[in-house]
Amino acid sequence: MWGDSTTNENGEEFERFLAESGLVVLNENRGEPTFQTVNGASFIDATFASPGIARKLNLWRVETWGQSDYRPIRMEFSFEDEVETPKRDARFCVKRGKWGKYTESLLESKNKIRATITEYADDVNKKADAINDGIVKACNDAIPTSTGKYKQQAWWTGCLRIAKKKTEMLRRRYVAIMTEGRSAQSIEQARRMYRIQRRR
C-alpha cells in the first residue's frame, strides 16, 4: 500500500483501520525506502491524513539527504481558502399554492408595474425587473415554501449515515485517483479501501 511489495496480517489490519477511520495514505513511493541501513531497507513509514487534507497534497517524496537511518520525507500542501457552499434556496410548494391570493397580489402590483413601464419606456431591464418583482411578491404572498427537508426513516441510524458518507468518500477518492492517472499502487490501495468499506 505504501511501497512494500509484500503484506501480512498487520498490514491488512492497518488497511482496515484506515478504511474504518476514513483516512487516506499519502505515500507516493516510487521505490525509495523510508528506512535504510547497511543491512537492508524497508518502507516502514506510512503517512496518512483525512481526505480533505489529502486533496491538498502537492508533493510526497523521500529525500536522500540526512545522517539518520530514517530518511526524510518531504511533503508540500496547498491550503487555499475554502469556498463556502451556498445554502439551498427554499422552493415553492406549487401544489399547496393559494391561487386566488396569488392573482389578487399580482393585480395589486399591476399599477406599480404599469408606472414603471411608462416611466422607463426605453429601459427593458427596468421593465423586466418590475414584472419579476411583482411575480415574486405574489409567489411569496400565496405559495408556501420548503427547504427540502424530509422526515428521517426510523431505520436510518447515525451509524448508517456515517457508513454511507465513508463509502461515498472512498468511492470519490478511488475515481479521482484513476482519473488523475496516479500510480498503479495508489489506484490499488484506493480500490481495496473502497471494497472493504462496501462490505461492512
Side-chain angles (χ1 to χ4, degrees):
M1 180 182 283
W2 51 89
D4 207 329
S5 58
T6 61
T7 187
N8 54 30
E9 290 184 6
N10 291 335
E12 291 174 355
E13 182 64 28
F14 185 56
E15 288 180 18
R16 283 193 289 273
F17 162 75
L18 292 173
E20 291 171 1
S21 304
L23 298 172
V24 178
V25 173
L26 304 182
N27 295 48
E28 284 293 332
N29 207 303
R30 306 188 187 282
E32 293 287 343
T34 58
F35 178 82
Q36 189 165 23
T37 68
V38 293
N39 297 320
S42 72
F43 300 83
I44 194 170
D45 297 287
T47 310
F48 49 93
S50 67
I53 296 295
R55 284 193 292 270
K56 299 177 184 297
L57 180 69
N58 291 333
L59 175 71
W60 189 99
R61 183 172 67 202
V62 178
E63 300 285 7
T64 56
W65 55 269
Q67 303 298 318
S68 172
D69 294 336
Y70 287 94
R71 302 175 71 179
I73 298 172
R74 179 177 179 177
M75 289 178 284
E76 294 180 3
F77 296 87
S78 175
F79 292 97
E80 299 177 356
D81 293 335
E82 296 288 342
V83 178
E84 185 178 351
T85 304
K87 294 182 179 179
R88 180 178 174 181
D89 293 334
R91 295 185 177 183
F92 289 109
C93 300
V94 179
K95 291 182 179 179
R96 294 166 53 198
K98 299 177 181 178
W99 297 107
K101 189 172 183 180
Y102 174 85
T103 303
E104 182 182 330
S105 178
L106 201 57
L107 289 173
E108 288 176 0
S109 301
K110 183 174 66 172
N111 291 335
K112 184 178 180 181
I113 294 172
R114 282 182 174 173
T116 302
I117 291 174
T118 302
E119 184 178 355
Y120 300 96
D122 298 327
D123 193 332
V124 176
N125 290 328
K126 289 283 186 181
K127 296 177 185 178
D129 288 342
I131 295 171
N132 181 73
D133 291 345
I135 294 173
V136 170
K137 181 180 182 303
C139 289
N140 288 330
D141 289 344
I143 308 174
T145 58
S146 170
T147 56
K149 293 181 179 179
Y150 60 91
K151 186 177 180 181
Q152 183 170 304
Q153 300 296 325
W155 53 266
W156 186 254
T157 64
C159 291
L160 287 175
R161 179 174 53 80
I162 293 171
K164 180 174 182 283
K165 282 188 175 181
K166 285 184 179 179
T167 303
E168 290 174 347
M169 177 272 296
L170 289 171
R171 180 183 178 280
R172 287 195 299 270
R173 176 69 177 165
Y174 176 40
V175 172
I177 287 176
M178 288 194 300
T179 305
E180 293 168 5
R182 304 274 282 275
S183 66
Q185 181 181 342
S186 297
I187 294 174
E188 176 58 24
Q189 171 205 337
R191 185 187 68 84
R192 188 181 305 168
M193 292 176 66
Y194 173 51
R195 291 182 65 184
I196 290 172
Q197 179 64 26
R198 283 188 63 188
R199 294 193 192 106
R200 297 187 65 80

